[in-house]
Structures are given as C-alpha cells and as structure tokens.
Amino acid sequence: PRKPLTFESLEMLDWPFVYLTAHYAFTLTEAEEKGLQQYIERGGFLYADDCLYGQTFGPAFQGLMAKVFPEAPFKAIDLNEPAQKLVYNQKYSFKNVHESGVPMEFMNANPFLCLIVRDRLSVVYSPQDIGCAWEISSPPPPSNPLGAGMHSSDMNPGGREAAYRIGVNMILYTMSH
C-alpha cells in the first residue's frame, strides 16, 4: 500500500509535477509550508485546480502561496507561455470559448494564474476544474459508473478534449523545463 505523500516528505522532491485539487479550503502545517517552498525552489512544478470554480479552495490556495512566496504574486498566465501551447495551441472551435480553450462560462478573465519563482514558471492555478474532465470517462467503466453526463465538461462539446490538451501541455512543459 502507498503511504500518503506530503510536502514535508523528502520523497516529494522526487516528483517533478504535483497536481493539487480540492473542493474546500485547507491549511498546511508550518513544516508542510516549508516543504512546499523547498519543493518549488528546487525545481518542482505545482498545478492547483479548483474543484468548485474558485469558491473556498481558491482563496485558501492563493493565501497559502502568498504566505510561502510573498515576493511572487499571482498574475494571469501569458497565453503565449510555452506551458499553454507547448504541444497543443489552446484555440478550439466550440461556441463561446476563451482564447485559452476553456468555455467562457467558467471564467471572468484568463482562467490560469501563475507564480514565477526564481525566473521560472513554478505554480499554475486554475479555478475552472480542469481535473474533473480528466477523471470522468465516457462510456462509464465499472470503476466509474457515473461516466459522462455528470459534469459540466460533458455539456460543452470539445471541453474534455480541451482539458486533456491543457494537461498534456502542462505536464510536458514541466518535464522539459
């Protein structure tokens, strides 16, 4: 059985890409905060995805990052940033889409925020729950009997594909930078 991996664990430094998501607000211990800072400063990449579209997880995550990296405020990610278009350019043909490839109903502005730490894109935050499009499969397998139709990504033709492309770009960017 796998043991939980926390930011205070030295084993965390073996992972170049960490995906963090939740529905609600959270806190880290002081040791975990220090471990998170060390992880990012040593080259780790953190992709945080809000499962409830910027409600309580978003403010908690942004507050945590402001505490850990007060000198690196969040800013809108440049859509020409390689992490946005390393393999797939984020422009799609389905209706009412932001230039990043995400349906407009999920956003008020650019959906991705980022932190630049030591001149490197180190943290990306998305409030629109890209991860749910990754986890729900269609048709439903035995491990996920809900399958498609249970999430907003299924109500936007092309939304799931856009989410996969965003994930591929982020992961390949991390592995190559």
Side-chain angles (χ1 to χ4, degrees):
R2 292 186 304 181
K3 63 180 183 172
L5 193 60
T6 66
F7 285 113
E8 64 185 318
S9 167
L10 289 177
E11 186 181 348
M12 181 64 78
L13 298 173
D14 295 336
W15 297 92
F17 182 98
V18 170
Y19 174 74
L20 176 68
T21 188
H23 286 112
Y24 305 109
F26 68 99
T27 58
L28 296 181
T29 66
E30 195 171 305
E32 290 170 328
E33 289 174 3
K34 189 171 276 192
L36 172 60
Q37 181 181 30
Q38 182 180 32
Y39 169 77
I40 290 170
E41 287 177 345
R42 288 188 175 190
F45 183 89
L46 177 62
Y47 179 64
D49 190 37
D50 195 325
C51 210
L52 284 178
Y53 308 107
Q55 292 182 18
T56 59
F57 173 83
F61 179 73
Q62 291 181 41
L64 168 68
M65 298 314 294
K67 184 177 178 184
V68 174
F69 293 106
E71 73 288 353
F74 272 106
K75 65 179 189 169
I77 193 169
D78 180 351
L79 293 176
N80 290 315
E81 171 66 46
Q84 288 285 344
K85 56 194 261 181
L86 188 66
V87 176
Y88 296 109
N89 193 345
Q90 298 300 327
K91 292 192 180 201
Y92 306 100
S93 60
F94 53 100
K95 293 181 182 178
N96 203 18
V97 171
H98 181 267
E99 61 188 304
S100 68
V102 175
M104 289 296 287
E105 66 193 69
F106 297 136
M107 312 169 359
N108 294 322
N110 186 327
F112 298 99
L113 297 176
C114 69
L115 289 183
I116 307 296
V117 177
R118 296 187 178 174
D119 297 322
R120 182 181 63 86
L121 177 68
S122 302
V123 178
V124 170
Y125 167 73
S126 64
Q128 72 279 353
D129 193 12
I130 296 289
C132 248
W134 298 340
E135 71 186 27
I136 299 174
S137 56
S138 178
S143 63
N144 183 7
L146 295 177
M150 297 302 294
H151 191 270
S152 57
S153 65
D154 295 308
M155 295 177 231
N156 296 292
R160 185 177 308 282
E161 291 79 11
Y164 290 149
R165 289 174 175 155
I166 289 165
V168 166
N169 282 343
M170 293 286 178
I171 291 168
L172 289 177
Y173 173 83
T174 300
M175 299 303 177
S176 63
H177 288 80

